[in-house]
Amino acid sequence: MAFSLSATSGSVSTARRSMALESVSEQQELDSSQNMEVRICLVGEKCYKNKQLQDAAKEFDVTVLESDTGEEYMSDEEFDTVFVLDTFEGQIFQKLMESDYRVVGPNVILECASKNEKLPFNARPLYCLAMSTLVICFTGFRNKEDLSKLVMLVHHMGGSIRKEFTQRVTHLVANATNTEKYRVAFSLGKPIMSEDWILKSWEQRNQIGCHASNEHLMKHKAPPFVACFVSFFGFNPEEQTHMEEILTSNGGQLVPAGDGAATHLVVEERNVKDIPFECNQKLRIVRSEWFWASIQIDACAAEELYTYEQTRLLETLDTARMTPGTPASGGRQRKRKRLKENLAQLAVDANRLSPTKPVPPKRRSSDFNAGLSMSAGSLSFLDDTPENVIDIADKVVDKALPDAAKSQALISRKQQVAMELLETENNYVNILHTIVTLFKEPLEKPDQVGGPLLSPTEIKLMFGNLPPIYEVHQKLKEALADLLSAWDDSKSIGSVILKHADALLKAYPPFVNFFEKTKGVITKCDHQSPRFHAFLKICQTKPECGRQSLVELLIRPVQRLPSVVLLLNDLLKHTSKSDADHRALEQAIGALKEVMTHINEDKRKTEGQVVMFDIVNDIDNCPADLLSSHRQFIIKADMVELNGSVSHRGDNLTMFLFNDRLEICKRRLKVINARSPSTSSSSSSSQKSYKHVELMHLSHIRRVVDIAETEGCKNVFALVIKSAIDLRERLFVFTLVSDVLKKLDLLQCVCRNMANTVCRTDAENFMISLEPQDLSIESSEVGNTALNKAVRFATKTTNKVARAFSMNRTPRQLKRAMSTMMSPWGGNTPVSSMQVARLASCADLGTSGGASTPHGATTRGRVKSATVGHSVVKRL
């Protein structure tokens, strides 16, 4: 953005002469003071009792004096006395300042001493060095008292003031945006600050090393709409409310449309034909793009670049309502002809003149007199047929037909579909070109006004996978255009598609697989960065975008391949089987479907791996080897344990089935600081949703048992486990609690993955159906909530007593015996010989029913053994 500096040339020369005179006088004073002995006088009790300040003053190898007022040293002209005051207020300060003595603050002494620098020669009182080396210029301040105060503070902090804006000025302090200084400062890239910048710097004057150019102080820039009174007109209520909120948060003031105090009127040019109220000459009428551009560059944009003008679309509509030479009235046939001509005119004008289409064009009929068809997928502005495609179609007609028959002849249906394919391909490439040139490349520029809008990582996540798609479709479009430029029905479209099939296979999966993540990054940056939000709004107003958002444009690659397949199928219908292109088209359709299948498979794997990360993050004490690159998540099922072989009877468990592993977790119903499974980060204090219980290889599952459904036994199933390390068989019995997942579907899924793990094809042989009594399950008590709670409470109490009794040294067998004797649920079922043989190594006395409880209670509605009995083994 360039601005003229000629208006300020005269004032610049004047400022240079005054600046030169000022420099000469200061140099003369400096030369005279160099012949005088310098001494430092600490004025006031706060200064001469400050040990750090005293030590710093002695670092300059000069005489250090102490005084309550400093008056006794004012009349001594043989010395160059530097008076140090802790505050620049009061009678003492005023008297020293009026007498032109050198006055500094404690911070100047401390900072110069710490840097081993000489004391600066100051003609004005200098409290600190927070604005040293800075040259300040002011604009837009009408109150002279406020301006004088700010100028004085700048001098007290070591800054210089210039009345006119020159190249030497480092910062502009603005209280308005409609001044020439503001435009020049912006064009030169100078920081435009608010008066708060000076006030905040002065508040931190006592901090050693604090400078006004520090990042935390440079945040106090002048808002883009400072001293701007803005009205909005033509926007829908929701969008206007959003813009009003942004306006007030960026220093602007909202006034009603038509208010005489307004300085700017922001108009939605697509909805407004004319302004219905009178506007004063000073009112700047601008398009909405000016508003968003100001937010993006963090400064008030030049209004002359965004001046509102009546859109040509409305003029086009007015002139297209009636074709010249056509009477206003006539018969029905004449009206139809006039309507057809007007619609054709509207279509041409919309393509060439208007940023939007006034009327969505319908698909043309089979006569196709104009030589070009419109597909259903090309009704939006972004799918408008470019002129070069129209030229190609005209050349095709000119070459194929004699001059006398051109207007009435028909193009073959195959050629129509081929041209439609080229048309949509060209539109699609234009969309990709818009994304790359309008969004990606501006975001990657290193010299963006106001700094980068996004980090390189964020830009790569948004657009990193798009360039390969853009490149392959550019080549595909050129090949189709060359083919159609010299068309005859023997041309092979299928061979062109097949030639680019491998490139499509490589380009599309990375983009489609991570499209949801791309959307998430765009949404996050849009919400967190006002400047990026404004950038998207500006781009959305461009004609190239057709008022579509970036996300809406980026979804086009996801939709492109299916639409190409539909057009190729249509082309196949109009291609004779004897034609060589028929076979090529079939192969091309198959190749594209293979690409889409590959995309869907990769997408499923990618989503499965993302889910695996979420599962691992949600499981407390999760085994480290659960997460593997070759492992895929299959299904999840919530269940309740029935026999206590995994955790405790009645515990709420969850099964995570993978392609080669089965993870069983305890489900926590009340989770502190619970988070969704999709959240990847968690604090160390937050409790996770699941607790690891057991991880087993699918090859260790020997049989899946489907328990027959009875009136009191619903959704019960069992797993028979036998690992190579532990040769005993274990029985896990659960009841499925999901209302959506069917038990049979779950068991069949487990069997299929078991068969895949051990390389077998007879997955159905892994499952067997048994009656509840075959596994000693009494159906009357299955799902008895009260009993389950009692069992869980009794088991926990038993474990606590056993631990206290053993003092952590009791042998394991004694623990089991004590647990059995103390449990109120011990059974009196006789112990089989097989159970006795396994008693010492694998079975609980309580679960095997080897001892009776003192109360003689019997266990009902539970599995009698955690292991598989001899009779059951025969059945399995």
Side-chain angles (χ1 to χ4, degrees), residues 783-836:
N784 189 324
T785 306
L787 180 61
N788 290 341
K789 290 183 178 179
V791 171
R792 293 172 61 188
F793 176 76
T795 305
K796 290 181 180 179
T797 305
T798 301
N799 292 340
K800 290 180 181 179
V801 175
R803 286 194 298 269
F805 178 80
S806 65
M807 301 296 292
N808 293 327
R809 295 182 183 274
T810 307
R812 186 175 179 184
Q813 293 83 352
L814 181 56
K815 285 184 180 182
R816 289 198 293 269
M818 289 300 301
S819 175
T820 302
M821 290 186 292
M822 301 180 68
S823 174
W825 305 106
N828 54 5
T829 305
V831 182
S832 66
S833 59
M834 188 174 183
Q835 289 172 329
V836 172

Side-chain angles (χ1 to χ4, degrees), residues 177 223-228 230 246-247 250-253 290-291 294-295 300:
T177 62
F225 305 116
V226 60
C228 293
V230 183
I246 295 178
L247 171 70
N250 284 274
Q253 299 186 44
W290 167 83
F291 180 84
S294 300
I295 298 297
C300 185

Side-chain angles (χ1 to χ4, degrees), residues 12 47 84 96 168 216 222 248 277 561 592 600 624 628 643 752 758 772:
V12 169
C47 287
V84 182
L96 289 171
R168 294 189 59 185
H216 71 283
T248 54
F277 46 83
L561 291 185
L592 291 183
N600 293 335
S628 177
N643 68 333
R752 282 196 303 269
V758 297

Side-chain angles (χ1 to χ4, degrees), residues 669-852:
L669 301 181
K670 295 182 179 179
V671 181
I672 302 174
N673 295 331
R675 57 187 178 86
S676 65
S678 62
T679 306
S680 59
S681 61
S682 62
S683 62
S684 58
S685 60
S686 62
Q687 190 178 27
K688 296 185 178 181
S689 303
Y690 304 96
K691 181 179 180 181
H692 167 72
V693 176
E694 185 158 347
L695 175 64
M696 66 186 73
H697 199 283
L698 290 187
S699 62
H700 296 167
I701 304 177
R702 301 308 175 125
R703 193 61 65 91
V704 176
V705 185
D706 180 15
I707 307 300
E709 300 289 314
T710 62
E711 184 177 353
C713 185
K714 301 289 186 182
N715 290 332
V716 179
F717 66 96
L719 302 176
V720 179
I721 312 298
K722 184 179 180 180
S723 65
I725 300 176
D726 189 0
L727 296 179
R728 64 192 175 96
E729 298 88 2
R730 292 189 298 165
L731 183 66
F732 297 169
V733 184
F734 311 100
T735 178
L736 187 65
V737 296
S738 175
D739 295 332
V740 179
L741 181 61
K742 302 300 182 182
K743 182 181 72 171
L744 185 60
D745 295 338
L746 172 64
L747 300 185
Q748 289 176 347
C749 184
V750 173
C751 291
R752 282 196 303 269
N753 286 275
M754 289 170 56
N756 293 336
T757 302
V758 297
C759 299
R760 287 175 53 178
T761 58
D762 55 340
E764 65 279 359
N765 292 333
F766 283 97
M767 187 163 59
I768 187 174
S769 298
L770 293 178
E771 297 294 328
Q773 56 269 23
D774 292 335
L775 295 179
S776 302
I777 299 177
E778 297 181 14
S779 59
S780 60
E781 296 295 344
V782 174
N784 189 324
T785 306
L787 180 61
N788 290 341
K789 290 183 178 179
V791 171
R792 293 172 61 188
F793 176 76
T795 305
K796 290 181 180 179
T797 305
T798 301
N799 292 340
K800 290 180 181 179
V801 175
R803 286 194 298 269
F805 178 80
S806 65
M807 301 296 292
N808 293 327
R809 295 182 183 274
T810 307
R812 186 175 179 184
Q813 293 83 352
L814 181 56
K815 285 184 180 182
R816 289 198 293 269
M818 289 300 301
S819 175
T820 302
M821 290 186 292
M822 301 180 68
S823 174
W825 305 106
N828 54 5
T829 305
V831 182
S832 66
S833 59
M834 188 174 183
Q835 289 172 329
V836 172
R838 294 175 178 163
L839 176 62
S841 62
C842 63
D844 246 337
L845 291 176
T847 57
S848 62
S852 61

Side-chain angles (χ1 to χ4, degrees), residues 435-562:
I435 297 173
V436 172
T437 58
L438 198 62
F439 292 92
K440 180 177 179 291
E441 292 178 354
L443 289 173
E444 292 175 336
K445 288 183 178 179
D447 55 345
Q448 300 176 39
V449 179
L453 293 176
L454 298 175
S455 66
T457 302
E458 291 169 334
I459 297 174
K460 187 174 181 180
L461 288 173
M462 291 181 188
F463 307 103
N465 297 319
L466 189 66
I469 298 177
Y470 181 37
E471 292 174 5
V472 66
H473 278 279
Q474 277 185 314
K475 296 177 181 178
L476 181 59
K477 182 198 72 172
E478 293 173 359
L480 291 174
D482 292 341
L483 194 69
L484 284 170
S485 62
W487 174 263
D488 61 70
D489 286 346
S490 63
K491 298 290 185 179
S492 177
I493 297 291
S495 59
V496 175
I497 303 298
L498 284 174
K499 183 179 178 181
H500 297 84
D502 291 339
L504 294 172
L505 181 60
K506 294 179 181 179
Y508 269 92
F511 182 88
V512 178
N513 291 343
F514 293 94
F515 178 69
E516 293 300 325
K517 188 172 183 179
T518 300
K519 285 173 55 180
V521 173
I522 295 174
T523 303
K524 178 183 176 182
C525 295
D526 188 14
H527 290 165
Q528 293 181 350
S529 174
R531 293 181 60 218
F532 180 65
H533 176 74
F535 170 78
L536 294 180
K537 287 290 186 180
I538 293 173
C539 294
Q540 194 170 350
T541 61
K542 301 285 186 181
E544 301 95 310
C545 285
R547 301 185 64 82
Q548 296 192 53
S549 65
L550 176 59
V551 173
E552 291 172 333
L553 294 176
L554 284 173
I555 203 174
R556 295 302 183 92
V558 180
Q559 303 169 340
R560 178 56 185 165
L561 291 185

